[in-house]
Amino acid sequence: MFLPKYPDNPTPPPPAHTHTATTEPAPDRRALPSVSIDQKTVAALVVGGVVLTTLLAAVAVTAISVAVAAVVLRSLLRDQHRR
């Protein structure tokens, strides 16, 4: 009684084109140039990551302190208007 009734699905049409096998060889892929990573590169990346993380933390701390100062000033000004 409460079972859904699904519509009849027609059979899908045949494909518009067929694939044929070719006897051509696959194109040669060029080898990628080798990249040498030395200790100076790793050290530079680590230092750069530390600097960027420190800058992000400084921005976050500044934003939080500005928000707290704004809340304090707002409450002080609201108290002053009530008097």
Side-chain angles (χ1 to χ4, degrees):
M1 179 174 171
F2 293 108
L3 295 175
K5 297 196 180 213
Y6 298 107
D8 293 333
N9 288 335
T11 58
H17 58 82
T18 58
H19 295 283
T20 57
T22 60
T23 58
E24 297 177 17
D28 291 334
R29 292 186 176 224
R30 293 186 215 164
L32 295 175
S34 62
V35 177
S36 62
I37 299 177
D38 56 349
Q39 290 179 350
K40 291 180 182 178
T41 305
V42 172
L45 287 175
V46 169
V47 169
V50 168
V51 168
L52 288 177
T53 304
T54 306
L55 287 174
L56 182 62
V59 168
V61 168
T62 303
I64 291 171
S65 64
V66 168
V68 168
V71 169
V72 169
L73 285 174
R74 184 176 178 184
S75 67
L76 287 175
L77 289 175
R78 185 178 50 177
D79 288 342
Q80 192 174 19
H81 283 294
R82 288 184 181 177
R83 293 181 186 178

